[in-house]
Amino acid sequence: MIPAAFDYHAPTSLSEAVALLSKHGDTAKVLSGGQSLLPLLKLRLGQAGHLIDIGRIPGLEYIKEEGGMLRIGGRTRESALERSEVVRTRYPILLDTAQVIADPLVRNMATVGGNLAHGDPGNDHPATMLVLGAQVVATGPKAERVIPIDGFFVGLFTTALQPDEIVTEIRIPAPPARSGGAYVKFERKVGDYATAAAAAFVTLGASGLVERAGIALTNAGPKPVRSTAAEKLLTGRRPDAAALGEAARAAGQSATPSADRRGAADYKKEMAGVLALRALTKAVQRAGGR
Amino acid sequence: MKIDTTPEVSGMGHSMKRKEDPRFIRGKGNYVDDIQLPGMLYMDIVRSPFAHAKIKSINTEKALKIPGVLAVITGETLAKYNLHWMPTLMSDTQMVLPVEKVVYQSQEVAAVIATSRYIAADGVDAVEVDYEPLPVVVDPFKALEPGATVIRTDKKDKKDNHIFHWEVGDRAATEKAFAEAEVVVKQDCYIPRIHVASIETCGCIADFDRVNGKLTVYMTTQAPHAIRTVFALVAGHVGLSEERIRIISPDIGGGFGGKVPVYPGYVIATAASVVIGKPIKWIEDRMENLQADSFARDYWMKAELAAKKDGTITALRIKTLADHGCADAAANPSKFPAGLFSICTGSYDIKHAFAEVDGAYTNKPPGGVAYRCSFRVTEAVHMIERVTDILAQQLKMDPAELRLKNFIPKEKFPYQSALGWEYDSGDYARALKLAMERIGYPALRKEQAEKRARGELMGIGISSFTEIVGAGPSKHFDILGIKMFDSAEIRIHPTGKAIARFGTKSQGQGHETTYAQIIAEELGIPASAVQIEEGDTDTAPYGLGTYASRSTPTAGAAGAMAARKIREKAKKIAAHLLEVSPEDLVWETGKFSVRGAPQRSKTIQEIAFAAYTNHPQGMEAGLEAVCYYDPPNLTFPFGSYICVVDIDRGTGQVKIRRFMAVDDCGNIINPMIVDGQIHGGLSMGMAPALMEEISYDENGNVQGGSFMDYLVPTAMETPSWETDKTVTPSPHHPFGAKGVGESATVGAPPAIVNAVVDALSHLGVTHVEIPMTPERVWRILKEKGVAE
Amino acid sequence: MAMHTIKLTVNGEPHEATVESRLLLVHLLRENLRLTGTHIGCDTTHCGACTILFDGQPVKSCTVLAVQADGRQLITVEGLEKDNKLSAIQDGFYQEHGLQCGYCTPGMMITGTALLERNNSPSELEIREAISGNLCRCTGYVNIVKAIQHAARATKQETP
């Protein structure tokens, strides 16, 4: 499989990259890790006149906790998340997520920014970022702007990014005390998109009741699904089996998956609920709730 | 097994490290796509998006305008030379390129020849084909209904989609046995379409030399000699005479049967090279490989088993419909349109049996047996091992006990089966008992009972299979009339080293090592000093190739027999050197010595030197031999597998916790290599049981046509296989060996299915179809009210 | 057609090539540089037959553009052997029958090499996870796991 011809640009600064994007408009695509984009081009399912490779712009790969936030550079490789000490110790939900994306070789190229910017509801980071209340920093011709994750995913393969914007950073609020998150994915094999997957993040109050809950699903609709109904059900309640079960069922109800080789819609919907329960249970455990 | 040679000689039974590995671990293998010839051009193929459609026109204008695109070959181009159709290996016919219509999705429609593979791909994009869709026949049952759309309109008198009816056994006696049976169990079973998906796809470089009229084709083929003959038969009328065709099969990146057929791409590239006069490389991509190349299975079986209340099986009846796609290209021996399906009585002493198989055309790619399957043995074993378990379930007997009760006892070998085979040797009870002991069967049953009480789903499944491999006796077996013998030619050099060539072709089985070990065993020449060559039709003796676990039973035997011819001559030379009569000499590994005077001896190396320097008067110089070995019977390897599964009640996912495989393939040449074959075979048994499937929607669109959805297991889905063995030599094979490459693929699937059914048996489940995907299992859990 | 001149180091040797934008790195290696040990087995970034070390990390060279390799350090299977001595991974594959047809082997060995760089005593599960982006159809992975374990033992003995 051979991609159709395109032109390639390797800017060495953000401003140069953004200028190239502005110049070439719709015919340009940002090449970050390339692990989704290049297969699309090879299969000739997608076309690009110009690839703007951001791989040579310094300062886009980092993971650091700063000002009450975890800051992840837009071009940070998934494998860097897996190996990051701060991620392993402070953000286990991010580790859960990174280590089930595609396969280990793909993760050495694939980037966190790319995973979000592709707008693929089958990608794993969106659900996790939704429950973490992340912010996406986009840099365009004017300046950078901060897009709250809840407004980032617009539709199937579409995000709030403008054609001339690049994801330069992802910001995640540092976890409060007594909080925990988990991402659980059910896949047919390593390298597959999720049949169903769920992210959960809970913060418990001093009394042991759920103060804040985040529940979101992967591959459960045209865009990543955040189940506010499930979150509401859980908030203010003791996170016992009954409460988690109710919330998980509500999460499953919020899924609108479509049938494919992974399963019929009804099966995937049920699986969304099953996976939501598993993610919630693990998240509560990590929050020290059980 | 007794080992007679030193590690330096490394004859039979040594786990010699592989002679082929030094090149592979250095990246110095030589696969087809690694070969670059001067002036080489590239071919890429335009394929049909429709499963059944009339071709109204093909417009090549835009493609030909692309700089670097040299030609676009269509069916019309080939029709000028009458090369647009070719025979299949089952004497059916198949299109090379269509002139009228396409009959499956992804069928070859035209080929672009260009100066690079990138430009060829651009050319493919630019070819415009105007199709008129025709009604599509996907379901083989509907294909046989009256009034069904006829697919093979090219066949003048063909008014339906029926290919063949084949039956075996005594129908009347079987019916009587069923009428008298105390217990009858029945089961329908579908074995889906699957694809070998060797990691190297198929391809070739066709190089026609106009000056001397010689065609050399480097090709991913498991059967180079047969391919040469097919080429000569197909293209003889345009001047390609067999002595001017050379097929070279270089290193092959996995075959498993997928590299036996002749694919249209080979023929088109060859025609293009003849017309253009330059070497043409064609390498298919993975999607082409999965969507258009030969498949396996697609068998719809209905089985019935009759028994007494005490569990004694009395009769078996199976009716099968085989979906062959648009042509019968199954590469079975020609007398056996359903291959060796009549091994379906399995490991059991069943007095009466009857089996019938019908073949149907559908709008799918052709094929049928390409998945490490010994000619339909997988289907047969799946069915008998399933109904045996169903019988045990119905009688509330332990499945191991039922098997032990019905096994052909070891004293009964050679055993005549109800469907006409003479099983050479076996000790089935020993293999099953060893497997039960190794896995701790009683403890597992106890654990299962405890888990079941807690609502957990755990199952234990057994499969006690009998394989039938090594085709074959030439009186029964041929491909396109060519008898299924195989060959070896050995030359001993003056310094006592050797080169040997065979008619087979390794695709990873390690022939360069194991064949050398056979010769080492027979002649005492160290295996490291025996060079093995295969795959070049200009140098190797004629043979039918490597598939259906036939290499050791046929070519391996030929190697031993050729070596024994050499030993006979060596004896005469030794007698001459030692000035004694040949009758006074005794052979022990590597030397002849005088009976009663062992200090007087000549080594094979001394004898070899004498064969060129001091041979007896009246004897021809040299020390070499050829053998075309025609086996007196097939070999019947067997084994017992036990699988333990746990089922996730939330998702329906089946996890293999343990899998114990006890195999018996007779005497073993290289235990390390046999173990490796079993590991690989088990993985290719597990894959279709749990994950792999190619299916078609109602419009004939292929589902599972890329590695996105064709789920080849990774190391994470594959369990850590456990293996053991028993050794029951074949009485008729020169060194007591049997084939083994496919045993595990044949034996594993029913063990896994039986384990899953066992996990659910207390819920009244008696059968689960494959692949046992999480969704399929979950639906059962849901129906039975046990889904989490 | 957009052409680019790139410079890269492959197995310690500098190379310069003028390539089309769309040229895949695996084709640069196999066809321009004639390093045919790196193989191609799929179109969808699943099989890993094309795995190479890209600035020390194992990646699928069918899903990287040749132009992206400008200025990078690459190691292919041909670069594993040093001073006529097989690397620990190569020897492990040889000793443990970690290969059959040999087609996935270069990618497997590259992945194994990178794993042992990070972790010199991986568990079976860690090995299986590490090679889960490389498909093998012949071995059932059992002996590949053993081969990497063999290499891990040898590596530890060399550098205690």
Side-chain angles (χ1 to χ4, degrees):
Chain A
M1 283 276 162
I2 310 288
F6 51 76
D7 211 342
Y8 169 88
H9 310 268
T12 51
S13 72
L14 262 182
S15 54
E16 195 190 338
V18 169
L20 282 162
L21 285 173
S22 302
K23 182 177 166 198
H24 296 295
D26 282 349
T27 67
K29 291 257 187 291
V30 174
L31 174 63
S32 184
Q35 303 299 287
S36 296
L37 177 60
L38 293 179
L40 282 176
L41 296 178
K42 282 167 72 181
L43 297 172
R44 301 197 181 200
L45 295 172
Q47 282 270 343
H50 300 268
L51 288 197
I52 316 299
D53 180 3
I54 59 170
R56 299 186 191 271
I57 301 169
L60 287 179
E61 291 185 40
Y62 53 84
I63 303 165
K64 57 188 177 194
E65 232 178 356
E66 203 176 84
M69 292 276 193
L70 181 73
R71 293 164 179 265
I72 302 171
R75 207 186 60 223
T76 302
R77 313 281 165 183
E78 302 293 358
S79 56
L81 282 189
E82 288 179 81
R83 287 161 208 166
S84 153
E85 197 51 34
V86 62
V87 168
R88 296 186 85 89
T89 53
R90 300 257 298 145
Y91 301 84
I93 182 176
L94 266 183
L95 177 64
D96 288 349
T97 312
Q99 63 193 11
V100 295
I101 292 169
D103 66 49
L105 303 175
V106 168
R107 296 200 290 271
N108 283 331
M109 285 301 283
T111 67
V112 183
N115 193 287
L116 295 172
H118 194 43
D120 184 341
N123 279 355
D124 294 291
H125 274 307
T128 293
M129 297 299 176
L130 281 169
V131 302
L132 288 172
Q135 299 166 346
V136 179
V137 180
T139 302
K142 296 195 182 84
E144 64 172 46
R145 63 180 179 125
V146 177
I147 309 169
I149 196 73
D150 280 319
F152 186 76
F153 302 105
V154 175
L156 186 63
F157 294 108
T158 41
T159 66
L161 289 172
Q162 294 302 308
D164 54 4
E165 283 182 321
I166 295 166
V167 173
T168 46
E169 189 176 272
I170 296 97
R171 295 178 186 161
I172 295 167
R178 289 187 300 280
S179 63
Y183 183 71
V184 184
K185 180 179 183 178
F186 174 47
E187 57 187 2
R188 297 176 299 176
K189 60 171 275 194
V190 171
D192 193 19
Y193 291 103
T195 303
F201 192 83
V202 294
T203 304
L204 304 179
S207 59
L209 303 186
V210 175
E211 221 168 67
R212 190 182 87 81
I215 303 171
L217 307 169
T218 301
N219 234 357
K223 59 177 193 167
V225 174
R226 181 171 171 192
S227 181
T228 43
E231 292 170 359
K232 271 189 200 143
L233 261 170
L234 206 53
T235 309
R237 287 185 60 183
R238 188 162 301 282
D240 53 19
L244 298 187
E246 273 176 53
R249 272 191 295 280
Q253 284 308 309
S254 61
T256 56
S258 45
D260 59 17
R261 296 278 287 183
R262 293 173 191 84
D266 68 323
Y267 172 66
K268 291 166 119 186
K269 202 173 161 86
E270 291 261 9
M271 288 308 102
V274 168
L275 273 285
L277 180 59
R278 291 179 185 186
L280 276 169
T281 306
K282 206 165 165 184
V284 169
Q285 273 167 8
R286 283 177 175 167
R290 278 204 237 169
Chain B
M1 206 182 99
K2 194 164 140 284
I3 295 176
D4 291 329
T5 55
T6 61
E8 288 67 41
V9 173
S10 274
M12 294 272 299
H14 286 280
S15 284
M16 182 189 185
K17 304 287 180 248
R18 297 202 324 168
K19 297 177 70 175
E20 36 278 269
D21 288 358
R23 68 176 183 275
F24 291 137
I25 57 175
R26 290 175 172 87
K28 298 294 181 191
N30 187 40
Y31 303 91
V32 168
D33 198 16
D34 299 343
I35 299 167
Q36 263 186 12
L37 300 178
M40 190 169 77
L41 303 173
Y42 294 81
M43 182 174 100
D44 202 347
I45 293 178
V46 179
R47 292 178 184 271
S48 170
F50 296 102
H52 200 189
K54 204 171 144 189
I55 294 176
K56 293 167 75 180
S57 66
I58 300 175
N59 185 347
T60 62
E61 213 172 294
K62 276 190 196 158
L64 287 168
K65 277 190 186 144
I66 297 172
V69 171
L70 303 180
V72 180
I73 294 168
T74 64
E76 300 291 348
T77 324
L78 297 183
K80 280 186 230 158
Y81 308 95
N82 197 27
L83 287 174
H84 55 312
W85 284 85
M86 63 178 184
T88 71
L89 296 179
M90 289 301 290
S91 297
D92 197 350
T93 53
Q94 181 184 349
M95 279 180 246
V96 177
L97 283 174
V99 291
E100 184 203 336
K101 66 170 190 174
V102 289
V103 289
Y104 59 92
Q105 190 183 52
S106 293
Q107 184 181 336
E108 299 79 357
V109 172
V112 174
I113 312 291
T115 50
S116 82
R117 65 175 95 216
Y118 282 62
I119 296 170
D122 293 344
V124 164
D125 249 13
V127 172
E128 296 165 324
V129 185
D130 190 8
Y131 298 94
E132 181 186 313
L134 297 167
V136 177
V137 183
V138 175
D139 180 330
F141 293 93
K142 287 186 182 155
L144 295 183
E145 283 172 5
T149 300
V150 176
I151 296 166
R152 294 301 299 265
T153 46
D154 56 290
K155 296 179 183 238
K156 279 203 178 59
D157 302 318
K158 194 81 194 141
K159 298 283 181 273
D160 59 28
N161 296 312
H162 187 253
I163 310 175
F164 65 83
H165 174 81
W166 180 80
E167 57 181 56
V168 62
D170 187 334
R171 186 197 290 261
T174 305
E175 276 173 10
K176 186 163 173 284
F178 270 93
E180 293 165 358
E182 294 171 2
V183 187
V184 173
V185 293
K186 299 179 183 185
Q187 185 59 52
D188 290 3
C189 183
Y190 172 57
I191 310 285
R193 228 174 220 250
I194 47 176
H195 197 285
V196 293
S198 53
I199 306 299
E200 179 199 39
T201 60
C202 296
C204 70
I205 303 166
D207 182 16
F208 182 68
D209 179 340
R210 278 183 173 168
V211 175
N212 57 30
K214 180 133 186 171
L215 171 72
T216 303
V217 189
Y218 303 85
M219 186 190 285
T220 49
T221 177
Q222 300 173 225
H225 297 275
I227 297 282
R228 184 186 71 193
T229 303
V230 172
F231 268 43
L233 294 173
V234 171
H237 65 280
V238 293
L240 275 183
S241 181
E242 193 162 0
E243 85 286 5
R244 292 191 189 166
I245 304 171
R246 179 184 190 187
I247 308 292
I248 297 176
S249 185
D251 286 327
I252 300 292
F256 314 111
K259 289 169 181 168
V260 173
V262 181
Y263 293 120
Y266 300 149
V267 179
I268 306 166
T270 301
S273 182
V274 171
V275 171
I276 296 169
K278 290 200 169 175
I280 311 272
K281 180 185 271 191
W282 167 66
I283 304 291
E284 65 182 7
D285 62 40
R286 175 58 58 192
M287 288 164 73
E288 296 178 289
N289 172 261
L290 290 172
Q291 295 178 16
D293 286 3
S294 192
F295 70 97
R297 323 271 202 268
D298 225 338
Y299 243 39
W300 302 82
M301 300 180 282
K302 287 175 177 296
E304 296 166 274
L305 200 60
K308 294 185 195 164
K309 279 183 190 150
D310 69 355
T312 307
I313 301 170
T314 53
L316 170 72
R317 188 159 56 189
I318 304 185
K319 187 172 169 55
T320 293
L321 180 59
D323 182 344
H324 278 259
C326 70
D328 187 358
N332 285 312
S334 56
K335 276 193 209 167
F336 297 89
L340 307 183
F341 185 71
S342 49
I343 194 67
C344 59
T345 53
S347 304
Y348 310 107
D349 190 4
I350 304 178
K351 297 277 178 306
H352 306 289
F354 179 74
E356 57 188 320
V357 181
D358 287 89
Y361 289 126
T362 57
N363 285 118
K364 302 175 193 170
V369 296
Y371 194 102
R372 202 169 186 160
C373 78
S374 314
F375 303 134
R376 302 288 190 196
V377 179
T378 321
E379 293 90 324
V381 166
H382 199 105
M383 196 69 257
I384 186 67
E385 287 304 296
R386 276 283 42 247
V387 285
T388 302
D389 252 44
I390 293 169
L391 178 64
Q393 202 174 339
Q394 171 131 346
L395 294 173
K396 300 193 165 46
M397 274 176 84
D398 184 284
E401 186 194 337
L402 183 80
R403 282 178 171 79
L404 289 165
K405 188 176 183 68
N406 285 284
F407 279 151
I408 300 162
K410 68 175 177 185
E411 312 78 53
K412 275 205 175 182
F413 290 90
Y415 170 83
Q416 294 292 332
S417 81
L419 296 182
W421 301 111
E422 184 185 296
Y423 291 25
D424 58 348
S425 63
D427 188 348
Y428 299 154
R430 183 160 64 131
L432 177 54
K433 284 176 183 165
L434 177 59
M436 290 167 75
E437 182 193 315
R438 283 291 314 272
I439 204 156
Y441 189 75
L444 286 169
R445 284 285 172 215
K446 187 159 168 278
E447 183 193 342
Q448 182 188 33
E450 289 162 9
K451 289 222 157 119
R452 204 168 265 186
R454 291 201 298 271
E456 292 172 42
L457 300 174
M458 165 194 169
I460 306 150
I462 301 174
S463 160
S464 294
F465 65 95
T466 290
E467 252 272 63
I468 169 169
V469 301
S474 65
K475 63 178 185 287
H476 294 310
F477 295 98
D478 68 86
I479 300 260
L480 288 177
I482 305 163
K483 300 294 189 183
M484 294 185 76
F485 54 81
D486 225 295
S487 62
E489 175 202 273
I490 307 174
R491 297 180 191 173
I492 312 296
H493 305 318
T495 54
K497 320 290 183 190
I499 183 166
R501 297 188 171 107
F502 291 76
T504 47
K505 175 63 205 177
S506 182
Q507 314 120 41
Q509 296 90 334
H511 291 178
E512 288 170 48
T513 308
T514 52
Y515 286 168
Q517 288 184 262
I518 293 168
I519 293 166
E521 175 77 13
E522 298 291 339
L523 294 177
I525 297 172
S528 59
V530 182
Q531 185 189 339
I532 303 297
E533 288 185 2
E534 298 177 294
D536 183 341
T537 58
D538 265 10
T539 57
Y542 203 97
L544 269 278
T546 292
Y547 44 87
S549 302
R550 67 186 298 276
S551 295
T552 295
T554 60
M561 299 308 271
R564 289 174 195 179
K565 288 186 192 177
I566 285 172
R567 211 160 71 197
E568 278 310 300
K569 182 169 179 182
K571 192 177 192 179
K572 292 188 184 121
I573 298 171
H576 161 71
L577 296 175
L578 292 165
E579 298 178 327
V580 295
S581 148
E583 292 77 52
D584 295 331
L585 292 176
V586 286
W587 170 260
E588 57 186 303
T589 308
K591 66 180 178 196
F592 279 107
S593 55
V594 177
R595 198 182 311 275
Q599 74 287 359
R600 291 187 62 208
S601 66
K602 288 290 170 190
T603 65
I604 188 75
Q605 288 78 11
E606 291 168 321
I607 297 165
F609 197 68
Y612 296 88
T613 59
N614 180 23
H615 57 288
Q617 280 209 338
M619 180 189 277
E620 280 184 36
L623 195 56
E624 55 185 71
V626 181
C627 175
Y628 282 73
Y629 185 78
D630 187 358
N633 189 6
L634 295 132
T635 64
F636 296 77
F638 60 92
S640 270
Y641 295 170
I642 302 182
C643 174
V644 184
V645 300
D646 297 296
I647 299 175
D648 183 329
R649 279 179 44 202
T651 61
Q653 189 166 43
V654 173
K655 186 151 176 63
I656 297 178
R657 189 204 308 173
R658 284 187 69 193
F659 195 106
M660 181 73 225
V662 172
D663 273 89
D664 191 320
C665 59
N667 287 336
I668 289 172
I669 304 164
N670 183 321
M672 175 189 84
I673 287 179
V674 167
D675 251 7
Q677 290 293 305
I678 303 292
H679 294 155
L682 290 170
S683 301
M684 289 183 81
M686 177 199 81
L690 294 175
M691 297 166 75
E692 294 175 7
E693 177 177 16
I694 289 182
S695 60
Y696 291 82
D697 71 10
E698 68 277 18
N699 296 316
N701 295 310
V702 61
Q703 315 287 306
S706 81
F707 274 171
M708 287 287 264
D709 282 314
Y710 193 74
L711 305 177
V712 174
T714 75
M716 288 300 283
E717 293 79 43
T718 309
S720 198
W721 306 112
E722 301 169 65
T723 58
D724 206 336
K725 58 177 170 287
T726 59
V727 176
T728 310
S730 169
H732 65 76
H733 185 273
F735 49 90
K738 300 180 176 186
V740 73
E742 297 163 326
S743 285
T745 302
V746 162
I752 303 169
V753 178
N754 288 346
V756 171
V757 173
D758 184 59
L760 306 171
S761 59
H762 61 297
L763 305 168
V765 174
T766 55
H767 182 67
V768 182
E769 294 278 41
I770 62 168
M772 297 179 294
T773 59
E775 181 183 9
R776 177 168 276 157
V777 174
W778 178 83
R779 290 203 183 277
I780 296 168
L781 301 181
K782 187 85 177 162
E783 187 203 318
K784 301 294 179 188
V786 295
E788 198 170 84
Chain C
M1 201 192 306
M3 301 296 283
H4 306 265
T5 298
I6 58 171
K7 290 180 182 172
L8 67 166
T9 307
V10 184
N11 303 328
E13 281 181 28
H15 291 275
E16 188 175 312
T18 301
V19 300
E20 212 185 331
S21 299
R22 63 171 167 166
L23 183 71
L24 301 173
L25 180 54
V26 69
H27 286 137
L28 173 80
L29 294 169
R30 287 180 50 79
E31 294 179 9
N32 301 42
L33 307 183
R34 294 298 291 145
L35 293 167
T36 55
T38 303
H39 298 145
I40 300 171
C42 74
D43 333 308
T44 49
T45 321
H46 281 93
C47 81
C50 63
T51 306
I52 60 158
L53 293 180
F54 188 90
D55 280 347
Q57 297 295 318
V59 305
K60 297 181 176 181
S61 65
C62 74
T63 312
V64 180
L65 299 172
V67 283
Q68 288 178 275
D70 188 17
R72 309 291 186 182
Q73 300 274 338
L74 312 187
I75 302 285
T76 68
V77 63
E78 291 89 346
L80 293 181
E81 190 176 6
K82 298 263 162 59
D83 305 322
N84 292 319
K85 189 172 179 292
L86 292 179
S87 74
I89 278 283
Q90 287 174 303
D91 191 50
F93 273 72
Y94 178 66
Q95 298 294 340
E96 299 288 348
H97 188 29
L99 63 147
Q100 291 182 28
C101 80
Y103 201 78
C104 76
T105 312
M108 284 285 182
M109 293 194 305
I110 291 285
T111 300
T113 300
L115 170 65
L116 295 186
E117 287 278 317
R118 275 193 289 119
N119 177 356
N120 70 5
S121 48
S123 66
E124 173 167 353
L125 182 63
E126 286 171 328
I127 294 173
R128 286 179 178 269
E129 277 170 350
I131 60 171
S132 62
N134 297 81
L135 294 179
C136 170
R137 203 57 161 161
C138 297
T139 65
Y141 304 104
V142 177
N143 289 349
I144 293 178
V145 171
K146 284 189 194 160
I148 296 173
Q149 287 168 334
H150 186 112
R153 286 193 301 273
T155 310
K156 269 189 291 184
Q157 274 162 14
E158 269 170 34
T159 51

